[in-house]
Structure formats: structure tokens, C-alpha cells
Amino acid sequence: MKAAIFDRFGVPEEVLQVREVPPPEPGRNQVRVRVLASPINPSDLMTVRGEYGSRPTLPATPGFEGVGVVDKSGGGLLPRLRRLNPGRRVAFSSTAGGAWAEFAVVSARQLVPVPDDIPNEQAASFFVNPMSALVMTRHVLKVPAGEWLLQTAAGSALGRMVSRLGQHFGFRTINVVRRPEQADELRQAGADAVICTAGESIPGRVRALTDGRGVRFAIDPVGGGTGSAAIEALGAGGRLLIYGTLTREPIVIDPRLLIVGAKRVEGFWLSEWVRRQHVLTMLRLTRTIRDLMRAGVLTSTIGATFSLDEIQKAAAQAAQPGRQGKVLLHPTA
């Protein structure tokens, strides 16, 4: 089978290659999936660069999620998982990567059957963005209706989901972007408030929107000066979740900002949160995601699509700032 492989860390479009390798064999409680589509997420590109979580053993195949068809079972499946027969279309996630290939082996616990009314392009991004957006806002921060949530990188696929979750559940969002055209797009989409850092101060505008109180809830995947400004915008009892570092720059924290008003800054990594959850919690969560996908709340705008042989071009496109829509790979179109 064909697989995208890197045997050294570096710029994705330079180190990724497509090679012929033996198809992986599923072990007990695993299934092999013929991959139909897989998105290129920032976490995938950071993994190839060696900058995300724990580094994989090289050579490695990237890709944390996708959609495909069950091809083979390794046996030993629990009764509730035995419905995952060959031919069943599923969305899947893999903390070890491996989705950018014609076949991927994943734990049966990390598969979700996909109903017919959810297309492959949406099912491919079932886990990373929709689950992160829903978990951070509804399960970790538990943002109440009527409250403000500040989010940076609001023009991203995940950021737009958070804005729509606010409209759906009744909390208000302050959406931080870098470029005026992004700000205009979000306003037209119904965002409650937008801050464009090209000409506005995050803390200053937040104070104006909140009558000087600051926000109690914030999420940041950017880091650097933007993350530092988000901390400055926190009000008394404020809580910031850091779930990425797109700038690859550290956040500078003045401890006085946290001491006064009992504010908190925490890291969030979806994989770690999922590992701590009961199986019933995860079942309810995946059902909620399916319902919100159908309702158009947790859907992704799809941009360019590429075959596996075009991996270098696809990676370069996904890394472009200001690109429109999620970049997808189709390993077995």
C-alpha cells in the first residue's frame, strides 16, 4: 500500500515522501480501515516538525483522524463493538497517527460508525476540531449562557465552530483574528464581537466590551504575544485554556496578573482529556457531535483536496496563512 512517511523531522513539504509499504495487520481489539479521506490539521504538521506532544518513532506516518471503511478485524472486540463489520463506514482517530495512508490500523474504541447523511468530507474531521471545540467550551470551561468567551485564531475551522457553538448554546464570543478580511467574514457569519489585532488591542477592546470587567473564559492556540494579551484580558476568576502554539513562541506571563483576581492558565490536550473519561461519557459525546454536525454547528468548510501522491503540495497548501477551508487528503479516492 501507499503511505506518506517522514524519517526525519522538518518542514513537512520537504521531509514527507510517499512510499510503498506492507499493509498493517490489526491486533486484538483493533480493526484495519481503508482510508477514504483525512484532513491536514495544524497538529499533524507540528508532529512532522517534531513540535507537537511526544515525538513519534521514525520513520512515521502522520494523520490523527480520518474516515474510511472497515477492512479487517483483529478479533476480540467487545459485544458493543462487533457491529464494526467489514464494509462499515467509520470515522476514526489515532493518537499514534497513521491516517495518511491507504490503510490504517486503529483501536476499535476509537471508531464511530458514520450515518449516511454525513458526507466523507465532514466525517473525516469528526474528532480533532469538533471534539476539541465541544469539550473545551461545554465540558471543561462549562461556559454559561450569556457569558463572554474570548478566543484567539477565531478564523480557523475550530474557531468558527466555537463561534457557532456560542450561537447554539447561548454564550457570547469575542473572536480574535489577525487580518481585516477575516474580521469581516466573521461579522457576516454572525460573530458577537471581533477583534482584529492589525489595529486593535485585545485587552483594551475586551475591557470596552465587558464594562471593564474582563472575561471569565478564554481559549488560545496561538501563544506568543497573542496568548499573553489573552491573559491580560482575563477578569476576576478568569480561566484560560492553552491548546496550541501556532506561533511556536512562548507566552510571557506577568504573575501579578494571575495573583490578583485568582486567575488561572491551564493546558488542554484532547488526547489526555479523552483518556480520563468513562466509555459512556465518550458515547454521549460522539452522539452529540453527530447531532451538531447534522445541524450545521460542527461542520468544516472544505478547501483544496489532494491525492496521497500530492502530499508535498497538500502540506504546503495547509500551511498557508489565510487559506480558505480545510485541506483534505484522499488516499483511496
Side-chain angles (χ1 to χ4, degrees), residues 88-268:
R88 189 69 181 265
R89 192 169 65 113
V90 293
F92 67 90
S93 69
S94 174
T95 55
W100 295 0
E102 291 182 317
F103 292 91
V105 165
V106 296
S107 166
R109 293 177 179 271
Q110 294 177 286
L111 300 174
V112 176
V114 178
D116 292 340
D117 59 346
I118 296 180
N120 287 337
E121 289 72 21
Q122 295 300 325
S125 297
F126 188 94
F127 286 95
V128 174
N129 283 342
M131 192 171 287
S132 294
L134 189 62
V135 167
M136 285 192 292
T137 58
R138 306 301 294 165
H139 292 260
V140 180
L141 292 179
K142 300 178 181 177
V143 185
E147 280 283 359
W148 285 108
L149 167 74
L150 172 70
Q151 65 159 338
T152 62
S156 67
L158 190 150
R160 292 170 191 264
M161 290 179 186
V162 168
S163 182
R164 292 194 295 269
L165 283 170
Q167 295 168 15
H168 185 81
F169 288 108
F171 61 83
R172 297 179 291 174
T173 55
I174 301 174
N175 302 276
V176 178
V177 294
R178 292 184 299 163
R179 296 183 300 279
E181 58 270 22
Q182 288 180 308
D184 292 340
E185 287 175 19
L186 292 183
R187 291 188 187 100
Q188 291 171 11
D192 297 295
V194 182
I195 299 174
C196 180
T197 56
E200 296 176 291
S201 159
I202 294 174
R205 182 76 192 287
V206 167
R207 284 193 292 270
L209 287 165
T210 61
D211 296 323
R213 294 188 302 272
V215 292
R216 290 177 53 206
F217 307 98
I219 58 176
D220 171 57
V222 178
T226 299
S228 300
I231 294 173
E232 255 189 275
L234 293 176
R239 189 177 177 193
L240 169 69
L241 294 186
I242 298 173
Y243 68 99
T245 174
L246 294 174
T247 61
R248 305 200 289 276
E249 296 175 357
I251 290 177
V252 177
I253 300 177
D254 182 342
R256 293 171 295 182
L257 294 174
L258 302 183
I259 293 170
V260 177
K263 300 159 191 171
R264 287 185 286 168
V265 178
E266 308 166 41
F268 173 82

Side-chain angles (χ1 to χ4, degrees), residues 80 318 328:
R80 66 178 181 82
L328 289 183

